[in-house]
Structures are given as structure tokens and as C-alpha cells.
Coordinates of all heavy atoms in Angstrom, one line a residue:
M1 N 80.9 53.9 102.4 CA 81.0 53.6 103.8 C 82.0 52.4 104.1 O 82.0 51.5 103.4 CB 79.7 53.3 104.4 CG 79.8 52.9 105.9 SD 78.3 52.4 106.7 CE 77.2 53.8 106.6
I2 N 82.9 52.5 105.1 CA 83.8 51.5 105.3 C 83.2 50.4 106.0 O 82.4 50.4 106.9 CB 85.0 52.0 106.2 CG1 85.7 53.0 105.5 CG2 85.9 50.8 106.7 CD1 86.8 53.8 106.3
Q3 N 83.4 49.1 105.4 CA 82.8 47.8 106.1 C 83.9 47.1 106.8 O 85.0 46.9 106.2 CB 82.3 47.0 104.8 CG 81.1 47.6 104.2 CD 79.9 47.6 105.0 OE1 79.9 47.8 106.3 NE2 78.8 47.5 104.4
L4 N 83.8 46.9 108.0 CA 84.7 46.1 108.8 C 84.5 44.7 108.6 O 83.3 44.2 108.5 CB 84.5 46.4 110.3 CG 84.7 47.8 110.7 CD1 84.4 48.0 112.1 CD2 86.2 48.3 110.5
P5 N 85.6 43.9 108.3 CA 85.6 42.5 108.2 C 85.0 41.8 109.5 O 85.4 42.2 110.6 CB 87.1 42.1 108.0 CG 87.8 43.4 107.5 CD 87.1 44.4 108.3
I6 N 84.3 40.6 109.2 CA 83.7 39.9 110.3 C 84.8 39.5 111.3 O 84.5 39.5 112.6 CB 82.9 38.8 109.8 CG1 81.8 39.3 108.9 CG2 82.4 37.8 110.8 CD1 80.7 40.1 109.7
N7 N 85.9 39.0 110.7 CA 86.9 38.5 111.7 C 87.4 39.6 112.6 O 87.8 39.3 113.7 CB 88.1 37.8 110.9 CG 87.6 36.5 110.4 OD1 86.7 35.8 110.8 ND2 88.4 36.1 109.3
F8 N 87.6 40.9 112.0 CA 88.1 41.9 112.8 C 86.9 42.2 114.0 O 87.3 42.5 115.1 CB 88.2 43.2 112.0 CG 88.6 44.5 112.7 CD1 90.0 44.5 113.3 CD2 87.8 45.5 112.7 CE1 90.2 45.7 113.9 CE2 88.2 46.6 113.5 CZ 89.5 46.7 114.0
I9 N 85.8 42.2 113.5 CA 84.8 42.6 114.5 C 84.8 41.4 115.7 O 84.6 41.7 116.8 CB 83.4 42.6 113.9 CG1 83.3 43.8 113.0 CG2 82.2 42.5 114.9 CD1 82.0 43.8 112.0
K10 N 84.9 40.2 115.3 CA 85.0 39.1 116.3 C 86.2 39.2 117.2 O 86.0 39.0 118.4 CB 85.0 37.7 115.5 CG 83.7 37.3 115.0 CD 83.8 36.0 114.2 CE 82.6 35.6 113.6 NZ 82.7 34.3 112.8
T11 N 87.3 39.7 116.7 CA 88.6 39.9 117.5 C 88.3 40.9 118.5 O 88.6 40.9 119.7 CB 89.7 40.1 116.6 OG1 90.0 39.1 115.8 CG2 90.9 40.4 117.3
I12 N 87.9 42.1 117.9 CA 87.5 43.2 118.9 C 86.6 42.9 120.0 O 86.9 43.2 121.1 CB 87.1 44.5 118.1 CG1 88.0 45.0 117.1 CG2 86.5 45.6 119.0 CD1 89.3 45.5 117.7
K13 N 85.5 42.2 119.7 CA 84.6 41.9 120.7 C 85.2 40.8 121.6 O 85.0 40.9 122.9 CB 83.3 41.2 120.2 CG 82.5 42.3 119.4 CD 81.3 41.6 118.9 CE 80.3 42.6 118.2 NZ 78.9 42.2 117.8
S14 N 86.0 40.0 121.1 CA 86.6 38.8 122.0 C 87.7 39.5 123.0 O 87.8 39.2 124.1 CB 87.3 37.9 121.1 OG 88.1 37.0 121.9
V15 N 88.5 40.4 122.5 CA 89.6 40.9 123.2 C 89.2 42.0 124.3 O 89.5 42.2 125.3 CB 90.7 41.5 122.2 CG1 91.8 42.4 122.9 CG2 91.4 40.4 121.4
H16 N 88.3 42.9 123.7 CA 87.8 44.1 124.5 C 86.5 44.0 125.1 O 86.1 45.0 125.8 CB 87.9 45.2 123.6 CG 89.3 45.6 123.1 ND1 90.4 46.0 123.9 CD2 89.9 45.3 121.8 CE1 91.4 46.2 123.1 NE2 91.2 45.8 121.9
K17 N 85.7 43.0 124.8 CA 84.5 42.8 125.5 C 83.6 44.0 125.3 O 83.3 44.4 124.2 CB 84.7 42.4 127.0 CG 85.6 41.3 127.3 CD 85.1 40.0 126.7 CE 86.1 38.8 127.2 NZ 86.6 38.1 126.1
K18 N 83.0 44.5 126.5 CA 82.0 45.6 126.4 C 82.6 46.9 125.7 O 81.9 47.6 124.9 CB 81.5 45.9 127.8 CG 80.6 47.1 127.8 CD 79.2 46.6 127.9 CE 78.2 47.7 128.2 NZ 77.1 47.8 127.3
K19 N 83.7 47.1 126.1 CA 84.5 48.3 125.5 C 84.6 48.2 124.1 O 84.5 49.2 123.3 CB 85.9 48.4 126.1 CG 86.5 49.8 126.0 CD 87.8 49.8 126.9 CE 88.4 51.2 126.9 NZ 89.6 51.3 127.7
G20 N 84.9 47.1 123.5 CA 84.9 46.6 122.1 C 83.6 46.9 121.4 O 83.4 47.4 120.3
D21 N 82.6 46.4 122.1 CA 81.1 46.7 121.5 C 80.8 48.1 121.4 O 80.3 48.5 120.3 CB 80.1 46.0 122.5 CG 80.1 44.4 122.3 OD1 80.5 43.9 121.4 OD2 79.7 43.8 123.3
L22 N 81.1 48.8 122.4 CA 80.9 50.3 122.3 C 81.8 51.0 121.2 O 81.1 51.8 120.5 CB 81.2 51.0 123.6 CG 80.3 50.5 124.8 CD1 80.8 51.1 126.2 CD2 78.8 51.0 124.6
W23 N 83.0 50.6 121.0 CA 83.8 51.2 120.1 C 83.2 50.8 118.7 O 83.3 51.7 117.8 CB 85.2 50.6 120.2 CG 86.2 51.3 119.4 CD1 87.0 52.5 119.7 CD2 86.8 50.8 118.1 NE1 87.8 52.7 118.6 CE2 87.7 51.7 117.6 CE3 86.5 49.6 117.3 CZ2 88.5 51.6 116.4 CZ3 87.2 49.5 116.1 CH2 88.2 50.4 115.7
L24 N 82.9 49.6 118.4 CA 82.3 49.2 117.2 C 81.0 49.9 116.9 O 80.8 50.4 115.8 CB 82.1 47.7 117.1 CG 83.4 46.8 117.2 CD1 83.1 45.4 117.3 CD2 84.1 46.9 115.7
H25 N 80.2 50.1 117.9 CA 78.9 50.8 117.9 C 79.1 52.3 117.3 O 78.4 52.8 116.5 CB 78.2 50.7 119.1 CG 76.9 51.5 119.1 ND1 76.6 52.8 119.5 CD2 75.7 51.1 118.7 CE1 75.5 53.2 119.2 NE2 74.8 52.2 118.8
D26 N 80.2 53.0 117.7 CA 80.5 54.3 117.5 C 81.5 54.4 116.2 O 81.9 55.6 116.1 CB 81.0 55.0 118.7 CG 80.1 55.2 119.8 OD1 78.8 55.2 119.4 OD2 80.5 55.4 121.0
F27 N 81.9 53.4 115.6 CA 83.0 53.4 114.7 C 82.7 54.4 113.6 O 83.6 55.1 113.1 CB 83.3 51.9 114.1 CG 84.2 51.9 113.1 CD1 85.6 51.9 113.3 CD2 83.9 51.8 111.7 CE1 86.6 52.0 112.4 CE2 84.8 51.9 110.7 CZ 86.2 51.8 111.1
H28 N 81.6 54.2 113.0 CA 81.3 55.1 111.8 C 81.2 56.7 112.1 O 81.7 57.5 111.4 CB 80.0 54.7 111.0 CG 80.2 53.4 110.4 ND1 81.0 53.2 109.4 CD2 79.6 52.2 110.6 CE1 81.0 52.0 108.9 NE2 80.2 51.3 109.6
R29 N 80.9 57.0 113.4 CA 80.9 58.3 113.8 C 82.3 58.7 114.2 O 82.7 59.8 113.8 CB 80.2 58.4 115.2 CG 80.0 59.8 115.8 CD 79.5 59.9 117.0 NE 80.0 59.1 118.0 CZ 81.1 59.2 118.7 NH1 81.9 60.4 118.5 NH2 81.6 58.4 119.6
L30 N 83.2 57.8 114.6 CA 84.6 58.2 114.8 C 85.2 58.5 113.6 O 86.0 59.4 113.4 CB 85.2 56.9 115.5 CG 86.7 57.0 115.7 CD1 87.1 58.2 116.7 CD2 87.2 55.7 116.4
I31 N 84.9 57.6 112.5 CA 85.4 57.8 111.0 C 85.1 59.3 110.7 O 85.9 60.1 110.1 CB 85.0 56.7 110.2 CG1 85.6 55.4 110.5 CG2 85.3 57.2 108.7 CD1 87.1 55.3 110.2
E32 N 83.8 59.6 110.7 CA 83.4 60.9 110.3 C 84.0 62.1 111.1 O 84.4 63.0 110.5 CB 81.8 61.0 110.5 CG 81.1 60.1 109.5 CD 79.5 60.1 109.8 OE1 79.1 60.8 110.8 OE2 78.8 59.3 109.2
E33 N 84.2 61.8 112.3 CA 85.0 62.9 113.2 C 86.4 63.0 112.7 O 86.9 64.2 112.6 CB 84.9 62.5 114.6 CG 83.5 62.8 115.2 CD 83.4 62.3 116.7 OE1 84.4 62.0 117.2 OE2 82.4 62.3 117.2
C34 N 87.1 61.9 112.4 CA 88.5 62.1 112.0 C 88.5 62.7 110.6 O 89.4 63.6 110.4 CB 89.1 60.7 112.0 SG 89.3 59.8 113.5
E35 N 87.6 62.3 109.8 CA 87.7 63.0 108.4 C 87.4 64.4 108.4 O 88.1 65.2 107.7 CB 86.6 62.3 107.5 CG 87.1 61.0 107.2 CD 86.1 60.2 106.2 OE1 84.9 60.5 106.3 OE2 86.5 59.3 105.4
E36 N 86.5 64.9 109.3 CA 86.2 66.3 109.4 C 87.3 67.0 110.1 O 87.6 68.1 109.7 CB 84.9 66.4 110.1 CG 84.4 67.9 110.3 CD 83.0 68.1 111.0 OE1 82.2 67.3 110.8 OE2 83.0 68.9 111.8
R37 N 87.7 66.5 111.3 CA 88.8 67.2 112.1 C 90.1 67.4 111.3 O 90.7 68.5 111.3 CB 89.0 66.4 113.3 CG 90.1 67.1 114.2 CD 90.2 66.3 115.4 NE 91.2 67.0 116.4 CZ 91.5 66.5 117.6 NH1 91.0 65.4 118.0 NH2 92.3 67.2 118.2
W38 N 90.5 66.4 110.6 CA 91.9 66.5 109.9 C 91.7 66.7 108.3 O 92.6 66.6 107.6 CB 92.7 65.3 110.2 CG 93.1 65.4 111.6 CD1 94.0 66.3 112.1 CD2 92.7 64.5 112.7 NE1 94.2 66.0 113.6 CE2 93.4 65.0 113.9 CE3 91.9 63.5 112.9 CZ2 93.3 64.4 115.1 CZ3 91.8 62.8 114.1 CH2 92.5 63.4 115.2
Q39 N 90.4 66.8 107.9 CA 90.2 67.2 106.5 C 90.9 66.2 105.6 O 91.7 66.4 104.8 CB 90.7 68.6 106.1 CG 90.0 69.7 106.8 CD 88.5 69.8 106.4 OE1 88.3 70.1 105.2 NE2 87.6 69.5 107.3
L40 N 90.4 65.0 105.8 CA 90.9 63.8 104.9 C 89.7 62.8 104.6 O 88.7 62.9 105.1 CB 92.0 63.1 105.7 CG 91.8 62.7 107.2 CD1 91.1 61.3 107.2 CD2 93.1 62.6 107.9
Q41 N 90.1 61.9 103.7 CA 89.2 60.9 103.4 C 89.8 59.5 103.7 O 91.0 59.3 103.3 CB 88.8 60.8 101.9 CG 87.8 59.7 101.6 CD 87.6 59.6 100.1 OE1 88.3 60.3 99.3 NE2 86.7 58.7 99.7
I42 N 89.3 58.7 104.7 CA 89.7 57.4 105.0 C 89.2 56.4 104.0 O 88.1 56.3 103.8 CB 89.4 57.1 106.5 CG1 89.8 58.3 107.4 CG2 89.9 55.8 106.8 CD1 89.5 58.0 108.8
L43 N 90.2 55.6 103.4 CA 89.9 54.7 102.4 C 89.6 53.3 103.1 O 89.8 53.1 104.3 CB 91.1 54.6 101.3 CG 91.3 56.0 100.8 CD1 92.6 55.9 100.0 CD2 90.2 56.5 100.1
Q44 N 89.4 52.3 102.2 CA 89.2 51.0 102.8 C 90.5 50.5 103.4 O 91.5 50.7 103.1 CB 88.8 50.0 101.7 CG 87.5 50.2 101.1 CD 86.3 50.0 102.1 OE1 86.3 49.0 102.9 NE2 85.4 51.0 102.1
P45 N 90.3 49.8 104.6 CA 91.4 49.4 105.5 C 92.4 48.3 104.8 O 91.9 47.7 104.0 CB 90.8 48.8 106.7 CG 89.5 48.4 106.3 CD 89.0 49.3 105.1
F46 N 93.5 48.3 105.5 CA 94.5 47.2 105.1 C 93.9 45.9 105.8 O 92.9 46.0 106.4 CB 95.9 47.5 105.6 CG 96.4 48.7 105.0 CD1 96.7 49.9 105.9 CD2 96.8 48.8 103.8 CE1 97.3 51.0 105.3 CE2 97.4 49.9 103.2 CZ 97.7 51.0 103.9
D47 N 94.5 44.8 105.7 CA 94.2 43.6 106.3 C 94.2 44.0 107.9 O 95.3 44.3 108.4 CB 95.0 42.4 106.1 CG 94.8 42.0 104.8 OD1 93.7 42.0 104.1 OD2 95.8 41.3 104.2
L48 N 93.1 43.7 108.5 CA 93.0 44.2 110.0 C 93.2 42.9 111.0 O 92.9 41.8 110.7 CB 91.6 44.8 110.3 CG 91.2 46.1 109.4 CD1 89.8 46.5 109.7 CD2 92.2 47.1 109.7
S49 N 93.8 43.3 112.1 CA 94.0 42.3 113.2 C 93.4 42.9 114.5 O 92.2 42.5 114.8 CB 95.5 41.9 113.4 OG 96.3 43.1 113.7
Y50 N 94.1 43.6 115.1 CA 93.7 44.3 116.5 C 93.4 45.7 116.4 O 92.9 46.2 117.5 CB 94.7 44.0 117.5 CG 94.9 42.5 117.8 CD1 95.8 41.6 117.2 CD2 93.9 41.9 118.7 CE1 96.0 40.3 117.4 CE2 94.1 40.5 118.9 CZ 95.1 39.7 118.3 OH 95.2 38.4 118.5
N51 N 93.7 46.4 115.4 CA 93.5 47.8 115.2 C 93.0 48.2 113.9 O 93.3 47.5 112.9 CB 94.9 48.6 115.6 CG 95.4 48.4 116.9 OD1 94.8 48.6 117.9 ND2 96.6 47.9 117.0
F52 N 92.3 49.3 113.7 CA 91.9 49.8 112.4 C 93.0 50.6 111.9 O 93.5 51.4 112.4 CB 90.6 50.6 112.5 CG 90.2 51.1 111.2 CD1 89.4 50.3 110.4 CD2 90.5 52.4 110.8 CE1 88.9 50.8 109.1 CE2 90.1 52.9 109.6 CZ 89.4 52.2 108.8
V53 N 93.5 50.1 110.7 CA 94.6 50.8 110.0 C 94.3 50.9 108.5 O 93.9 49.9 107.9 CB 95.9 50.0 110.1 CG1 97.1 50.9 109.5 CG2 96.3 49.8 111.5
A54 N 94.3 52.1 108.0 CA 93.9 52.3 106.6 C 94.5 53.5 106.0 O 95.0 54.5 106.7 CB 92.3 52.6 106.6
P55 N 94.7 53.4 104.6 CA 95.2 54.7 103.9 C 94.3 55.8 104.0 O 93.0 55.6 104.0 CB 95.4 54.1 102.5 CG 94.5 53.0 102.4 CD 94.3 52.4 103.7
A56 N 94.7 57.0 103.9 CA 93.9 58.1 103.8 C 94.5 59.3 102.8 O 95.7 59.2 102.6 CB 93.7 58.7 105.2
I57 N 93.7 60.1 102.4 CA 94.1 61.2 101.6 C 93.7 62.5 102.2 O 92.5 62.7 102.4 CB 93.7 61.0 100.2 CG1 94.2 59.8 99.5 CG2 94.3 62.3 99.4 CD1 93.7 59.5 98.3
R58 N 94.6 63.4 102.5 CA 94.3 64.8 102.9 C 93.7 65.6 101.8 O 93.9 65.3 100.7 CB 95.4 65.4 103.6 CG 95.7 64.7 104.9 CD 96.8 65.6 105.7 NE 96.1 66.8 106.0 CZ 96.2 67.6 107.1 NH1 97.1 67.2 108.0 NH2 95.5 68.6 107.3
I59 N 93.0 66.6 102.2 CA 92.4 67.5 101.2 C 93.4 68.1 100.3 O 93.1 68.4 99.1 CB 91.6 68.6 102.0 CG1 90.4 69.1 101.1 CG2 92.5 69.8 102.4 CD1 89.5 70.0 101.8
D60 N 94.6 68.3 100.7 CA 95.7 68.7 99.8 C 96.4 67.7 98.9 O 97.4 67.9 98.2 CB 96.8 69.6 100.6 CG 97.6 68.7 101.6 OD1 97.3 67.4 101.6 OD2 98.4 69.2 102.3
G61 N 95.9 66.4 99.0 CA 96.5 65.4 98.2 C 97.5 64.5 99.0 O 98.0 63.5 98.4
T62 N 97.9 64.9 100.1 CA 98.9 64.3 101.0 C 98.4 62.9 101.3 O 97.2 62.7 101.8 CB 99.3 65.1 102.3 OG1 99.8 66.2 102.0 CG2 100.4 64.2 103.0
E63 N 99.1 61.8 101.1 CA 98.7 60.5 101.5 C 99.2 60.1 102.8 O 100.4 60.6 103.2 CB 99.3 59.5 100.5 CG 98.7 59.6 99.1 CD 99.2 58.7 98.0 OE1 100.1 57.9 98.4 OE2 98.8 58.7 96.9
L64 N 98.5 59.4 103.6 CA 98.9 59.0 104.9 C 98.2 57.8 105.4 O 97.4 57.3 104.7 CB 98.7 60.2 106.0 CG 97.2 60.7 106.0 CD1 96.6 60.4 107.4 CD2 97.1 62.1 105.7
V65 N 98.5 57.4 106.6 CA 97.9 56.1 107.1 C 97.2 56.5 108.5 O 97.9 57.2 109.4 CB 98.9 55.0 107.4 CG1 98.3 53.8 108.1 CG2 99.5 54.5 106.1
V66 N 96.0 56.1 108.6 CA 95.3 56.3 109.9 C 95.2 55.1 110.7 O 95.0 54.0 110.1 CB 93.8 56.8 109.6 CG1 93.0 56.8 110.9 CG2 93.9 58.1 108.8
K67 N 95.5 55.2 112.0 CA 95.4 54.0 112.9 C 94.4 54.4 114.0 O 94.6 55.4 114.7 CB 96.7 53.7 113.4 CG 96.6 52.4 114.3 CD 98.0 52.0 114.9 CE 98.1 50.8 115.7 NZ 99.4 50.5 116.2
L68 N 93.3 53.5 114.1 CA 92.4 53.9 115.2 C 92.4 52.6 116.1 O 92.3 51.5 115.6 CB 90.9 54.0 114.6 CG 90.6 55.1 113.7 CD1 89.4 55.1 113.0 CD2 91.1 56.5 114.3
V69 N 92.5 52.9 117.5 CA 92.5 51.8 118.4 C 91.6 52.1 119.5 O 91.0 53.1 119.8 CB 94.0 51.7 119.0 CG1 95.0 51.5 117.9 CG2 94.3 52.9 119.9
I70 N 91.3 51.0 120.2 CA 90.5 51.1 121.5 C 91.4 51.5 122.5 O 92.5 50.9 122.8 CB 89.8 49.8 121.8 CG1 88.9 49.4 120.7 CG2 89.2 49.9 123.1 CD1 88.3 48.1 120.9
P71 N 91.3 52.7 123.1 CA 92.2 53.3 124.1 C 92.4 52.4 125.3 O 91.5 51.6 125.8 CB 91.5 54.6 124.7 CG 90.5 55.0 123.5 CD 90.2 53.6 122.9
G72 N 93.6 52.2 125.8 CA 93.9 51.5 126.9 C 95.4 51.6 127.2 O 96.2 52.3 126.5
K73 N 95.9 50.8 128.3 CA 97.4 51.0 128.6 C 98.3 50.5 127.5 O 99.4 51.1 127.4 CB 97.6 50.3 129.9 CG 97.3 48.8 129.9 CD 97.5 48.2 131.3 CE 97.2 46.7 131.2 NZ 97.3 46.1 132.4
D74 N 97.9 49.5 126.8 CA 98.8 49.1 125.7 C 99.0 50.1 124.6 O 100.1 50.3 124.1 CB 98.2 47.8 125.0 CG 98.2 46.6 126.0 OD1 99.0 46.6 126.9 OD2 97.4 45.6 125.8
F75 N 97.9 50.7 124.3 CA 98.0 51.9 123.3 C 98.8 53.0 123.8 O 99.7 53.6 123.1 CB 96.6 52.4 123.0 CG 96.6 53.6 122.1 CD1 97.1 53.6 120.7 CD2 96.2 54.8 122.6 CE1 97.1 54.8 120.0 CE2 96.2 56.0 121.9 CZ 96.8 56.0 120.7
Q76 N 98.6 53.4 125.1 CA 99.4 54.4 125.6 C 100.9 54.1 125.6 O 101.7 55.0 125.3 CB 99.1 54.8 127.1 CG 99.6 56.1 127.7 CD 99.4 57.2 126.8 OE1 98.2 57.5 126.5 NE2 100.3 58.2 126.8
A77 N 101.3 53.0 125.9 CA 102.7 52.6 125.8 C 103.2 52.6 124.4 O 104.3 53.1 124.2 CB 102.8 51.2 126.3
E78 N 102.4 52.3 123.4 CA 102.8 52.3 122.1 C 103.0 53.8 121.6 O 104.0 54.1 121.0 CB 101.7 51.8 121.2 CG 102.1 51.8 119.7 CD 101.1 51.2 118.8 OE1 100.2 50.3 119.3 OE2 101.1 51.4 117.6
V79 N 102.1 54.7 122.1 CA 102.3 56.2 121.8 C 103.6 56.7 122.3 O 104.3 57.4 121.6 CB 101.1 56.9 122.2 CG1 101.3 58.5 122.2 CG2 99.8 56.5 121.5
E80 N 103.8 56.3 123.6 CA 105.1 56.8 124.2 C 106.4 56.3 123.5 O 107.4 57.1 123.6 CB 105.1 56.4 125.6 CG 103.9 57.2 126.5 CD 103.8 56.6 127.9 OE1 104.6 55.7 128.3 OE2 102.9 57.1 128.5
R81 N 106.2 55.2 122.8 CA 107.4 54.6 122.0 C 107.5 55.1 120.7 O 108.5 54.9 119.9 CB 107.3 53.1 122.1 CG 107.7 52.5 123.4 CD 107.8 50.9 123.3 NE 106.7 50.4 122.4 CZ 105.6 49.9 123.0 NH1 105.3 49.8 124.2 NH2 104.7 49.2 122.1
T82 N 106.5 55.9 120.2 CA 106.4 56.2 118.7 C 107.1 57.6 118.5 O 106.9 58.5 119.3 CB 104.9 56.3 118.3 OG1 104.4 55.0 118.5 CG2 104.8 56.7 116.8
I83 N 107.8 57.7 117.4 CA 108.4 58.9 117.0 C 107.4 59.4 115.7 O 107.4 58.7 114.8 CB 109.8 58.8 116.6 CG1 110.7 58.4 117.7 CG2 110.3 60.1 116.0 CD1 112.1 58.0 117.3
F84 N 107.0 60.6 115.8 CA 106.2 61.1 114.8 C 106.9 62.0 114.0 O 107.6 63.0 114.4 CB 104.9 62.0 115.4 CG 103.9 61.0 116.1 CD1 104.0 60.8 117.5 CD2 103.0 60.3 115.4 CE1 103.0 60.0 118.2 CE2 102.1 59.4 116.0 CZ 102.1 59.2 117.4
I85 N 106.8 61.9 112.7 CA 107.7 62.7 111.7 C 106.7 63.7 111.0 O 105.7 63.3 110.5 CB 108.5 61.9 110.9 CG1 109.4 61.0 111.6 CG2 109.2 62.8 109.8 CD1 110.2 60.1 110.7

């Protein structure tokens, strides 16, 4: 099971307030849903700041990085600027 660092938890609660509390409460369910949906295993995260970012391995051995964020306008703007390969 992935353990979130205390400083990350404090940051999420401080920045996102109630929305952050709810996201943290559902975090492990979110991880399970991602692993099932995309047939991958999410590993221990990199150093965390404002988003959850971790290496993962797909069932076929492909290595990738997973980023989980609390949805909001900042995230939507980032998605619109991102090029997916």
C-alpha cells in the first residue's frame, strides 16, 4: 500500500481545504481504480509537492509515470497545454 508523506498530506489539506480532505480520504480507492482500469501497478511516489506523481509498470512491462491531481481550473489548463505521446 502506498504511504503518503505527512508533508504532502499537510500541503493538500492546506491548499485544497475540504476538497483536499475528500481526495485524501478516497486516495487508496483512486489508486485501485487506476491500477484496474489501465492494468498497471503504481509504485512508491517520487518526492511529492502539490500532486501525486509515481512510477508505474503496465501488465506488459511498459514503464510509465502516473500523475494524480485534485481536479480544478489549474489542472484543466495544464492538460490543455500538454502534448501526449
Side-chain angles (χ1 to χ4, degrees):
M1 180 184 297
I2 294 173
Q3 296 290 35
L4 296 175
I6 296 298
N7 286 341
F8 177 69
I9 292 170
K10 288 179 183 178
T11 298
I12 293 300
K13 289 181 175 190
S14 173
V15 171
H16 298 284
K17 312 294 185 228
K18 178 97 173 140
K19 199 173 189 180
D21 286 336
L22 293 171
W23 188 83
L24 289 166
H25 180 266
D26 291 337
F27 177 77
H28 291 292
R29 182 186 53 78
L30 177 60
I31 291 290
E32 290 173 6
E33 287 177 8
C34 290
E35 289 180 331
E36 184 177 318
R37 180 175 184 179
W38 288 292
Q39 296 296 295
L40 52 82
Q41 178 185 8
I42 299 174
L43 305 173
Q44 290 300 313
F46 299 112
D47 289 335
L48 301 176
S49 56
Y50 294 96
N51 301 301
F52 176 84
V53 183
I57 301 174
R58 292 194 60 150
I59 206 166
D60 67 1
T62 303
E63 296 178 356
L64 56 118
V65 173
V66 171
K67 181 176 183 179
L68 302 176
V69 305
I70 298 173
K73 63 183 176 183
D74 292 336
F75 170 69
Q76 187 60 39
E78 182 179 340
V79 169
E80 291 170 2
R81 292 187 311 265
T82 302
I83 298 172
F84 294 95
I85 301 175

